Amino acid sequence: MRALTWQGTQKVSVETVPDPEIVNPRDAIIRITSTAICGSDLHLYDGVIPAMRPGDILGHEFMGEVVETGSDSTLQKGQRVVVPFTISCGGCFHCRITQFSACENSNPVEKQDMSEKLYGHPMAGIFGYSHMTGGYSGGQAEYARVPFSDVGPIVVPDHLDDDTVLFLSDILPTGWMAAENAEIQPDDTVAVWGCGPVGLFAIQSAIAMGAAKVIAIDHYPHRLELARKLGAETINFRLTDVREALMEMSGGIGVDAVIDAVGMESHGFAVDNVIDIAKQKVGIGADRASALKQALLAVRFGGKVSVPGVYGGMTDKFPLGAVMEKGLQLRTGQTHVQRYLKDLLAKIEDGSIDTTFLISHRLPLEEAPTGYKHFKEEQDSWTKVVLKPGMAASA
Ligand SMILES: NC(=O)c1ccc[n+]([C@@H]2O[C@H](COP(=O)([O-])OP(=O)(O)OC[C@H]3O[C@@H](n4cnc5c(N)ncnc54)[C@H](O)[C@@H]3O)[C@@H](O)[C@H]2O)c1
Ligand SMILES: [Zn+2]
Ligand SMILES: [Zn+2]
């Protein structure tokens, strides 16, 4: 089959690789019909997440048709399914309390060494996300093997086309959990850093949860425009002092909740960020947390801090004092995708959530490297790229 492979920092290519096979009775094989490029893939593309190997197949947002099932799979051939990016067994302690992204059984023991050292505990398995999370082949391919297919995938009805349901795999539940982690109350003013797909879905979710005011922060005019269309007020951080503006917009008290939908590759020319960019380039001090630091200073005393943005290693000059002295609540994590699938699918079906507005480009799988390049370098207009393995490559 054909698959998009990681070959080195900012080097990806579509190669012919062996077809996946059933290796466990609970597996299923999916023929991919749609798969998206995520902001998390950019961290791999940029080489800032360790434990990638040349030839690894990327992609953790995918859906398709079941073409083969192991004897213990509950799926049936021909069903259309969306696959959560988190690989979860359904039976361990964490899965049973719906903390699916903390599954203890999905990352093979021999692969766990690095995350256990870094985090104190090994990470769960994630599709296409380095050998720290199990080294699973991802879904930016013609086919994928899905372990624990009796737990993760959700069967979607035929009348909903791929574009409406694909984002159940990651960014839609991620935006939802980000808003849930901000514990939004009806009078709350919520500020969201980053108007990429995750930020936009967090904005949409915060409004659905009844936030009185949502303020979106980014520097790309088109992405800020999408945030305004959802009902947010906006701040361009290149033109405006973010903290000052937020103080003004919150009656001088600070915003009630902040959501960092930027993660470890924060843009901008704040002094700390410029120093962090240099350190990240040479591999000392991994994470650029400029947006998060700004959020911690902008949130009010007793405020709520939600961090869907991905961080991988260590962060320098983290304002822990602000967290303590202001009595902040901090919640974060890889999304427990399986927890949200049924409810969010129902919201898509009844029309209360639209997921398609942020798709800017649909490309054949063969053009995935172009998709990565533009999603990285032209973020303003390339808001979300969906790859279609069945689509013919353009001449
Ligand atoms: N927790 C999870 O399970 C989960 C799931 C999916 C994605 N993520 C993470 O969420 C983050 C966002 O993902 P995405 O797909 O939206 O990515 P993206 O790269 O498309 O968007 C990031 C946005 O942040 C903006 N930004 C950069 N620096 C900023 C700053 N200092 N202030 C304000 N905005 C700034 C960028 O301009 C960009 O629009 C990434 O870190 C990704 O890895 C986490
Ligand atoms: Zn993703
Ligand atoms: Zn589990």
Side-chain angles (χ1 to χ4, degrees):
M1 68 164 182
R2 302 286 284 166
L4 190 272
T5 61
W6 186 90
Q7 298 294 347
T9 299
Q10 296 188 359
K11 274 192 224 123
V12 291
S13 61
V14 179
E15 304 290 340
T16 300
V17 301
D19 286 352
E21 289 173 5
I22 300 276
V23 298
N24 183 288
R26 292 170 74 183
D27 289 352
I29 306 291
I30 311 294
R31 181 181 64 80
I32 315 288
T33 52
S34 296
T35 172
I37 305 176
C38 179
S40 299
D41 290 323
L42 291 183
H43 305 320
L44 302 173
Y45 186 67
D46 290 338
V48 296
I49 299 265
M52 288 299 293
R53 296 182 195 154
D56 285 349
I57 299 172
L58 297 183
H60 59 269
E61 299 182 359
F62 62 95
M63 65 175 295
E65 183 197 338
V66 179
V67 290
E68 223 183 310
T69 52
S71 54
D72 293 340
S73 173
T74 48
L75 297 176
Q76 284 153 24
K77 282 187 202 170
Q79 281 177 326
R80 276 173 77 226
V81 292
V82 178
V83 180
F85 79 87
T86 39
I87 305 175
S88 313
C89 77
C92 71
F93 168 79
H94 287 103
C95 283
R96 279 186 279 118
I97 58 169
T98 77
Q99 293 183 353
F100 293 101
S101 71
C103 176
E104 298 143 51
N105 287 325
S106 58
N107 190 350
V109 161
E110 63 276 16
K111 310 237 183 197
Q112 292 173 353
D113 307 2
M114 182 175 237
S115 62
E116 189 163 6
K117 278 200 189 84
L118 261 175
Y119 309 139
H121 293 83
M123 280 186 79
I126 296 179
F127 289 102
Y129 219 76
S130 92
H131 292 265
M132 236 166 64
T133 63
Y136 289 95
S137 290
Q140 288 163 2
E142 288 181 299
Y143 296 91
R145 175 176 82 91
V146 175
F148 305 122
S149 67
D150 52 325
V151 176
I154 183 163
V155 178
V156 290
D158 284 339
H159 67 271
L160 296 175
D161 63 22
D162 280 22
D163 289 354
T164 34
V165 290
L166 172 62
F167 301 142
L168 284 168
S169 57
D170 176 353
I171 51 173
L172 186 64
T174 294
W176 191 265
M177 188 168 110
E180 205 174 73
N181 278 346
E183 291 187 2
I184 293 161
Q185 305 299 309
D187 286 338
D188 276 0
T189 296
V190 183
V192 180
W193 274 255
C195 296
V198 170
L200 290 169
F201 279 149
I203 291 165
Q204 193 183 44
S205 306
I207 291 170
M209 289 175 195
K213 194 193 283 190
V214 177
I215 302 163
I217 303 147
D218 205 302
H219 58 139
Y220 291 128
H222 174 62
R223 289 184 170 210
L224 288 167
E225 178 58 30
L226 289 175
R228 273 193 294 276
K229 281 194 182 141
L230 291 172
E233 295 174 29
T234 56
I235 297 173
N236 182 328
F237 71 78
R238 293 213 188 243
L239 308 177
T240 307
D241 183 294
V242 174
R243 206 190 73 89
E244 244 173 53
L246 287 176
M247 286 300 276
E248 232 164 71
M249 293 161 99
S250 60
I253 188 175
V255 291
D256 302 289
V258 291
I259 298 177
D260 166 10
V262 174
M264 64 197 285
E265 294 184 85
S266 203
H267 309 168
F269 296 106
V271 175
D272 66 313
N273 205 48
V274 173
I275 296 169
D276 285 346
I277 290 173
K279 282 189 293 202
Q280 198 173 52
K281 277 216 168 86
V282 295
I284 48 165
D287 295 348
R288 281 144 53 187
S290 181
L292 176 57
K293 292 177 197 171
Q294 201 170 55
L296 293 174
L297 300 190
V299 69
R300 68 165 168 81
F301 268 77
K304 299 158 288 188
V305 183
S306 163
V307 186
V310 163
Y311 292 89
M314 308 293 173
T315 301
D316 276 359
K317 308 284 182 291
F318 186 76
L320 187 56
V323 177
M324 190 278 161
E325 299 293 358
K326 295 208 290 184
L328 303 181
Q329 166 194 296
L330 176 68
R331 296 184 69 189
T332 180
Q334 296 285 355
T335 304
H336 305 302
V337 178
Q338 291 86 338
R339 185 196 285 172
Y340 302 99
L341 288 177
K342 225 171 116 231
D343 288 354
L344 289 175
L345 178 61
K347 285 185 198 300
I348 292 170
E349 269 203 287
D350 71 19
S352 56
I353 283 190
D354 171 37
T355 65
T356 56
F357 71 93
L358 49 72
I359 302 175
S360 57
H361 295 80
R362 296 170 183 82
L363 299 178
L365 177 66
E366 292 297 324
E367 288 171 30
T370 308
Y372 269 83
K373 187 170 161 43
H374 292 295
F375 185 51
K376 162 80 190 162
E377 291 171 8
E378 289 161 58
Q379 289 218 304
D380 191 26
S381 49
W382 288 66
T383 42
K384 187 74 181 177
V385 185
V386 177
L387 305 168
K388 307 269 184 184
M391 191 191 271
S394 57

Short mmCIF file of all heavy atoms in Angstrom, two decimals, residues 226-278:
data_model
loop_
_atom_site.label_atom_id
_atom_site.label_comp_id
_atom_site.label_asym_id
_atom_site.label_seq_id
_atom_site.Cartn_x
_atom_site.Cartn_y
_atom_site.Cartn_z
N LEU A 226 -12.19 33.33 11.28
CA LEU A 226 -12.98 32.12 11.56
C LEU A 226 -13.46 32.13 13.02
O LEU A 226 -14.59 31.76 13.31
CB LEU A 226 -12.15 30.86 11.29
CG LEU A 226 -11.85 30.54 9.81
CD1 LEU A 226 -10.91 29.34 9.70
CD2 LEU A 226 -13.14 30.26 9.03
N ALA A 227 -12.60 32.60 13.92
CA ALA A 227 -12.98 32.67 15.34
C ALA A 227 -14.13 33.66 15.53
O ALA A 227 -15.06 33.41 16.29
CB ALA A 227 -11.77 33.08 16.19
N ARG A 228 -14.05 34.80 14.83
CA ARG A 228 -15.13 35.80 14.94
C ARG A 228 -16.44 35.22 14.43
O ARG A 228 -17.50 35.45 15.01
CB ARG A 228 -14.77 37.07 14.16
CG ARG A 228 -13.94 38.07 14.98
CD ARG A 228 -13.86 39.43 14.32
NE ARG A 228 -13.14 39.39 13.06
CZ ARG A 228 -11.80 39.47 12.95
NH1 ARG A 228 -11.06 39.59 14.03
NH2 ARG A 228 -11.23 39.42 11.77
N LYS A 229 -16.36 34.45 13.33
CA LYS A 229 -17.59 33.85 12.78
C LYS A 229 -18.25 32.90 13.78
O LYS A 229 -19.46 32.71 13.77
CB LYS A 229 -17.27 33.10 11.48
CG LYS A 229 -17.12 34.03 10.29
CD LYS A 229 -17.14 33.26 8.98
CE LYS A 229 -16.96 34.20 7.80
NZ LYS A 229 -16.11 33.61 6.76
N LEU A 230 -17.44 32.32 14.65
CA LEU A 230 -18.00 31.42 15.67
C LEU A 230 -18.62 32.20 16.83
O LEU A 230 -19.31 31.63 17.67
CB LEU A 230 -16.91 30.49 16.22
CG LEU A 230 -16.36 29.43 15.27
CD1 LEU A 230 -15.15 28.73 15.91
CD2 LEU A 230 -17.42 28.40 14.92
N GLY A 231 -18.30 33.50 16.89
CA GLY A 231 -18.88 34.33 17.95
C GLY A 231 -17.86 34.86 18.94
O GLY A 231 -18.24 35.45 19.97
N ALA A 232 -16.57 34.68 18.66
CA ALA A 232 -15.54 35.16 19.59
C ALA A 232 -15.16 36.61 19.26
O ALA A 232 -15.30 37.05 18.12
CB ALA A 232 -14.30 34.28 19.50
N GLU A 233 -14.68 37.34 20.29
CA GLU A 233 -13.97 38.59 20.05
C GLU A 233 -12.52 38.21 19.83
O GLU A 233 -12.11 37.13 20.26
CB GLU A 233 -14.11 39.53 21.25
CG GLU A 233 -15.55 39.95 21.48
CD GLU A 233 -15.74 40.77 22.75
OE1 GLU A 233 -14.79 41.46 23.17
OE2 GLU A 233 -16.84 40.70 23.32
N THR A 234 -11.74 39.04 19.15
CA THR A 234 -10.38 38.58 18.82
C THR A 234 -9.30 39.60 19.18
O THR A 234 -9.56 40.80 19.24
CB THR A 234 -10.26 38.26 17.31
OG1 THR A 234 -10.64 39.42 16.56
CG2 THR A 234 -11.15 37.09 16.91
N ILE A 235 -8.11 39.08 19.41
CA ILE A 235 -6.92 39.91 19.63
C ILE A 235 -5.80 39.38 18.73
O ILE A 235 -5.51 38.18 18.75
CB ILE A 235 -6.42 39.82 21.10
CG1 ILE A 235 -7.48 40.35 22.07
CG2 ILE A 235 -5.11 40.58 21.27
CD1 ILE A 235 -7.11 40.14 23.54
N ASN A 236 -5.20 40.27 17.93
CA ASN A 236 -4.03 39.88 17.15
C ASN A 236 -2.80 40.22 18.01
O ASN A 236 -2.52 41.39 18.27
CB ASN A 236 -4.00 40.66 15.83
CG ASN A 236 -2.83 40.25 14.96
OD1 ASN A 236 -1.75 39.90 15.45
ND2 ASN A 236 -3.02 40.30 13.66
N PHE A 237 -2.07 39.16 18.43
CA PHE A 237 -1.00 39.42 19.41
C PHE A 237 0.18 40.18 18.85
O PHE A 237 1.04 40.66 19.58
CB PHE A 237 -0.55 38.12 20.11
CG PHE A 237 0.21 37.13 19.28
CD1 PHE A 237 1.56 37.31 18.99
CD2 PHE A 237 -0.42 36.00 18.79
CE1 PHE A 237 2.27 36.38 18.23
CE2 PHE A 237 0.28 35.05 18.03
CZ PHE A 237 1.63 35.25 17.75
N ARG A 238 0.24 40.31 17.51
CA ARG A 238 1.33 41.11 16.93
C ARG A 238 1.00 42.60 16.95
O ARG A 238 1.88 43.45 16.83
CB ARG A 238 1.59 40.69 15.49
CG ARG A 238 2.15 39.29 15.42
CD ARG A 238 3.11 39.10 14.27
NE ARG A 238 3.44 37.68 14.20
CZ ARG A 238 4.64 37.18 14.38
NH1 ARG A 238 5.66 37.99 14.61
NH2 ARG A 238 4.84 35.90 14.31
N LEU A 239 -0.29 42.91 17.06
CA LEU A 239 -0.71 44.31 17.00
C LEU A 239 -1.10 44.88 18.35
O LEU A 239 -1.15 46.09 18.53
CB LEU A 239 -1.90 44.46 16.03
CG LEU A 239 -1.74 43.85 14.62
CD1 LEU A 239 -3.01 44.02 13.81
CD2 LEU A 239 -0.56 44.52 13.90
N THR A 240 -1.40 44.01 19.30
CA THR A 240 -1.99 44.47 20.56
C THR A 240 -1.29 43.80 21.74
O THR A 240 -0.92 42.63 21.65
CB THR A 240 -3.49 44.05 20.58
OG1 THR A 240 -4.10 44.53 19.39
CG2 THR A 240 -4.22 44.62 21.78
N ASP A 241 -1.12 44.53 22.83
CA ASP A 241 -0.60 43.94 24.06
C ASP A 241 -1.70 43.06 24.67
O ASP A 241 -2.74 43.56 25.11
CB ASP A 241 -0.17 45.04 25.04
CG ASP A 241 0.46 44.45 26.30
OD1 ASP A 241 -0.27 43.77 27.08
OD2 ASP A 241 1.66 44.65 26.50
N VAL A 242 -1.46 41.75 24.66
CA VAL A 242 -2.51 40.79 24.99
C VAL A 242 -3.00 40.96 26.43
O VAL A 242 -4.20 41.02 26.69
CB VAL A 242 -2.02 39.34 24.75
CG1 VAL A 242 -3.06 38.33 25.22
CG2 VAL A 242 -1.70 39.12 23.28
N ARG A 243 -2.07 41.07 27.38
CA ARG A 243 -2.50 41.12 28.78
C ARG A 243 -3.30 42.39 29.07
O ARG A 243 -4.34 42.35 29.71
CB ARG A 243 -1.30 41.04 29.72
CG ARG A 243 -1.66 40.46 31.09
CD ARG A 243 -0.53 40.61 32.09
NE ARG A 243 -0.37 41.99 32.52
CZ ARG A 243 -1.01 42.54 33.56
NH1 ARG A 243 -1.83 41.81 34.29
NH2 ARG A 243 -0.81 43.79 33.89
N GLU A 244 -2.80 43.50 28.51
CA GLU A 244 -3.52 44.77 28.71
C GLU A 244 -4.92 44.69 28.13
O GLU A 244 -5.90 45.07 28.77
CB GLU A 244 -2.76 45.88 27.97
CG GLU A 244 -2.20 46.94 28.88
CD GLU A 244 -1.33 47.90 28.10
OE1 GLU A 244 -1.78 48.46 27.08
OE2 GLU A 244 -0.16 48.07 28.52
N ALA A 245 -5.02 44.16 26.91
CA ALA A 245 -6.33 44.06 26.25
C ALA A 245 -7.27 43.17 27.06
O ALA A 245 -8.44 43.50 27.25
CB ALA A 245 -6.16 43.51 24.83
N LEU A 246 -6.73 42.05 27.55
CA LEU A 246 -7.58 41.11 28.30
C LEU A 246 -8.05 41.73 29.61
O LEU A 246 -9.19 41.51 30.04
CB LEU A 246 -6.85 39.80 28.55
CG LEU A 246 -6.67 38.89 27.34
CD1 LEU A 246 -5.85 37.66 27.69
CD2 LEU A 246 -8.03 38.47 26.76
N MET A 247 -7.18 42.52 30.25
CA MET A 247 -7.59 43.19 31.49
C MET A 247 -8.75 44.14 31.20
O MET A 247 -9.75 44.17 31.93
CB MET A 247 -6.41 43.96 32.09
CG MET A 247 -5.36 43.08 32.74
SD MET A 247 -6.00 42.10 34.11
CE MET A 247 -5.90 43.30 35.43
N GLU A 248 -8.62 44.87 30.11
CA GLU A 248 -9.68 45.80 29.74
C GLU A 248 -10.99 45.07 29.43
O GLU A 248 -12.07 45.48 29.85
CB GLU A 248 -9.25 46.56 28.49
CG GLU A 248 -9.34 48.06 28.61
CD GLU A 248 -8.55 48.72 27.51
OE1 GLU A 248 -9.01 48.65 26.35
OE2 GLU A 248 -7.45 49.26 27.80
N MET A 249 -10.86 43.95 28.71
CA MET A 249 -12.05 43.23 28.26
C MET A 249 -12.71 42.44 29.39
O MET A 249 -13.78 41.86 29.22
CB MET A 249 -11.69 42.28 27.11
CG MET A 249 -11.27 43.01 25.84
SD MET A 249 -10.35 41.96 24.70
CE MET A 249 -11.63 41.49 23.54
N SER A 250 -12.03 42.37 30.55
CA SER A 250 -12.60 41.60 31.66
C SER A 250 -12.85 42.52 32.87
O SER A 250 -12.82 42.06 34.02
CB SER A 250 -11.67 40.45 32.04
OG SER A 250 -10.41 40.96 32.43
N GLY A 251 -13.05 43.79 32.61
CA GLY A 251 -13.37 44.74 33.68
C GLY A 251 -12.25 44.90 34.69
O GLY A 251 -12.50 45.16 35.87
N GLY A 252 -11.00 44.70 34.26
CA GLY A 252 -9.85 44.94 35.12
C GLY A 252 -9.52 43.83 36.09
O GLY A 252 -8.59 43.93 36.89
N ILE A 253 -10.23 42.71 36.02
CA ILE A 253 -10.03 41.65 37.01
C ILE A 253 -9.20 40.48 36.45
O ILE A 253 -8.57 39.72 37.19
CB ILE A 253 -11.41 41.16 37.53
CG1 ILE A 253 -11.28 40.20 38.70
CG2 ILE A 253 -12.23 40.51 36.45
CD1 ILE A 253 -12.61 39.79 39.31
N GLY A 254 -9.16 40.36 35.13
CA GLY A 254 -8.52 39.19 34.50
C GLY A 254 -9.60 38.21 34.07
O GLY A 254 -10.68 38.16 34.66
N VAL A 255 -9.31 37.43 33.04
CA VAL A 255 -10.33 36.50 32.53
C VAL A 255 -10.51 35.32 33.48
O VAL A 255 -9.60 34.95 34.22
CB VAL A 255 -9.97 36.00 31.11
CG1 VAL A 255 -10.08 37.13 30.09
CG2 VAL A 255 -8.58 35.37 31.07
N ASP A 256 -11.71 34.73 33.47
CA ASP A 256 -12.03 33.62 34.38
C ASP A 256 -11.32 32.33 34.02
O ASP A 256 -10.96 31.54 34.88
CB ASP A 256 -13.54 33.35 34.37
CG ASP A 256 -14.34 34.57 34.76
OD1 ASP A 256 -14.30 34.93 35.94
OD2 ASP A 256 -14.97 35.19 33.88
N ALA A 257 -11.18 32.12 32.71
CA ALA A 257 -10.56 30.86 32.26
C ALA A 257 -9.71 31.12 31.04
O ALA A 257 -10.01 32.00 30.23
CB ALA A 257 -11.65 29.84 31.93
N VAL A 258 -8.62 30.36 30.93
CA VAL A 258 -7.75 30.47 29.76
C VAL A 258 -7.52 29.08 29.17
O VAL A 258 -7.46 28.09 29.91
CB VAL A 258 -6.38 31.12 30.12
CG1 VAL A 258 -6.56 32.58 30.47
CG2 VAL A 258 -5.70 30.39 31.29
N ILE A 259 -7.45 29.03 27.85
CA ILE A 259 -7.21 27.76 27.16
C ILE A 259 -6.00 27.94 26.25
O ILE A 259 -5.99 28.82 25.39
CB ILE A 259 -8.45 27.34 26.33
CG1 ILE A 259 -9.66 27.13 27.26
CG2 ILE A 259 -8.15 26.08 25.51
CD1 ILE A 259 -10.96 26.78 26.54
N ASP A 260 -4.96 27.13 26.47
CA ASP A 260 -3.77 27.18 25.62
C ASP A 260 -3.91 26.13 24.52
O ASP A 260 -3.64 24.95 24.73
CB ASP A 260 -2.51 26.91 26.47
CG ASP A 260 -1.27 26.59 25.62
OD1 ASP A 260 -1.32 26.76 24.39
OD2 ASP A 260 -0.26 26.16 26.21
N ALA A 261 -4.34 26.59 23.33
CA ALA A 261 -4.46 25.68 22.18
C ALA A 261 -3.32 25.95 21.21
O ALA A 261 -3.49 25.91 19.99
CB ALA A 261 -5.82 25.86 21.51
N VAL A 262 -2.14 26.25 21.77
CA VAL A 262 -0.94 26.51 20.95
C VAL A 262 0.06 25.37 21.11
O VAL A 262 0.47 24.74 20.14
CB VAL A 262 -0.29 27.85 21.35
CG1 VAL A 262 1.03 28.05 20.60
CG2 VAL A 262 -1.23 29.02 21.08
N GLY A 263 0.45 25.11 22.36
CA GLY A 263 1.40 24.04 22.59
C GLY A 263 2.85 24.47 22.46
O GLY A 263 3.17 25.66 22.52
N MET A 264 3.71 23.49 22.24
CA MET A 264 5.16 23.63 22.43
C MET A 264 5.91 24.39 21.34
O MET A 264 7.13 24.53 21.42
CB MET A 264 5.77 22.25 22.58
CG MET A 264 5.63 21.38 21.34
SD MET A 264 5.92 19.64 21.69
CE MET A 264 7.69 19.65 21.85
N GLU A 265 5.20 24.87 20.29
CA GLU A 265 5.89 25.62 19.25
C GLU A 265 5.31 27.02 19.10
O GLU A 265 5.01 27.48 17.99
CB GLU A 265 5.85 24.86 17.93
CG GLU A 265 6.63 23.55 17.98
CD GLU A 265 6.67 22.85 16.63
OE1 GLU A 265 7.53 23.19 15.81
OE2 GLU A 265 5.80 21.97 16.41
N SER A 266 5.16 27.67 20.22
CA SER A 266 4.60 29.02 20.26
C SER A 266 5.35 29.96 19.32
O SER A 266 6.58 29.94 19.25
CB SER A 266 4.76 29.51 21.71
OG SER A 266 3.84 30.49 21.98
N HIS A 267 4.60 30.78 18.59
CA HIS A 267 5.23 31.79 17.72
C HIS A 267 5.42 33.08 18.52
O HIS A 267 4.91 33.21 19.63
CB HIS A 267 4.34 32.15 16.53
CG HIS A 267 3.85 30.98 15.74
ND1 HIS A 267 2.86 31.07 14.80
CD2 HIS A 267 4.21 29.66 15.75
CE1 HIS A 267 2.63 29.89 14.25
NE2 HIS A 267 3.43 29.01 14.83
N GLY A 268 6.08 34.06 17.89
CA GLY A 268 6.12 35.39 18.48
C GLY A 268 7.51 35.82 18.90
O GLY A 268 8.41 35.00 19.05
N PHE A 269 7.65 37.13 19.11
CA PHE A 269 8.97 37.70 19.35
C PHE A 269 9.17 38.17 20.78
O PHE A 269 10.01 38.99 21.06
CB PHE A 269 9.23 38.84 18.35
CG PHE A 269 9.27 38.32 16.94
CD1 PHE A 269 8.22 38.56 16.06
CD2 PHE A 269 10.33 37.54 16.51
CE1 PHE A 269 8.24 38.04 14.77
CE2 PHE A 269 10.36 37.03 15.22
CZ PHE A 269 9.31 37.27 14.34
N ALA A 270 8.34 37.61 21.68
CA ALA A 270 8.60 37.88 23.10
C ALA A 270 10.00 37.35 23.40
O ALA A 270 10.41 36.32 22.83
CB ALA A 270 7.56 37.16 23.95
N VAL A 271 10.74 38.06 24.27
CA VAL A 271 12.15 37.71 24.49
C VAL A 271 12.30 36.25 24.89
O VAL A 271 13.14 35.51 24.35
CB VAL A 271 12.75 38.63 25.58
CG1 VAL A 271 14.18 38.20 25.90
CG2 VAL A 271 12.73 40.07 25.12
N ASP A 272 11.46 35.80 25.83
CA ASP A 272 11.60 34.42 26.30
C ASP A 272 11.39 33.43 25.15
O ASP A 272 12.04 32.41 25.06
CB ASP A 272 10.60 34.13 27.43
CG ASP A 272 9.15 34.17 26.96
OD1 ASP A 272 8.79 35.13 26.26
OD2 ASP A 272 8.39 33.24 27.29
N ASN A 273 10.48 33.78 24.23
CA ASN A 273 10.18 32.86 23.13
C ASN A 273 11.35 32.78 22.15
O ASN A 273 11.68 31.71 21.65
CB ASN A 273 8.90 33.28 22.41
CG ASN A 273 8.24 32.10 21.71
OD1 ASN A 273 8.07 31.05 22.32
ND2 ASN A 273 7.91 32.25 20.45
N VAL A 274 11.98 33.91 21.88
CA VAL A 274 13.11 33.92 20.96
C VAL A 274 14.24 33.06 21.54
O VAL A 274 14.86 32.25 20.83
CB VAL A 274 13.59 35.37 20.70
CG1 VAL A 274 14.87 35.37 19.87
CG2 VAL A 274 12.49 36.15 19.97
N ILE A 275 14.47 33.19 22.84
CA ILE A 275 15.51 32.38 23.48
C ILE A 275 15.12 30.89 23.42
O ILE A 275 15.93 30.03 23.10
CB ILE A 275 15.72 32.82 24.96
CG1 ILE A 275 16.26 34.26 24.98
CG2 ILE A 275 16.70 31.89 25.68
CD1 ILE A 275 16.26 34.90 26.36
N ASP A 276 13.81 30.61 23.68
CA ASP A 276 13.35 29.22 23.64
C ASP A 276 13.45 28.63 22.23
O ASP A 276 13.73 27.44 22.08
CB ASP A 276 11.90 29.11 24.14
CG ASP A 276 11.80 29.24 25.65
OD1 ASP A 276 12.86 29.14 26.32
OD2 ASP A 276 10.69 29.43 26.17
N ILE A 277 13.21 29.42 21.20
CA ILE A 277 13.32 28.93 19.82
C ILE A 277 14.76 28.46 19.58
O ILE A 277 15.00 27.38 19.05
CB ILE A 277 12.92 30.02 18.79
CG1 ILE A 277 11.41 30.28 18.85
CG2 ILE A 277 13.32 29.61 17.36
CD1 ILE A 277 10.92 31.45 18.02
N ALA A 278 15.72 29.28 20.02
CA ALA A 278 17.12 28.92 19.83
C ALA A 278 17.46 27.64 20.59
O ALA A 278 18.11 26.73 20.07
CB ALA A 278 18.02 30.06 20.32
#
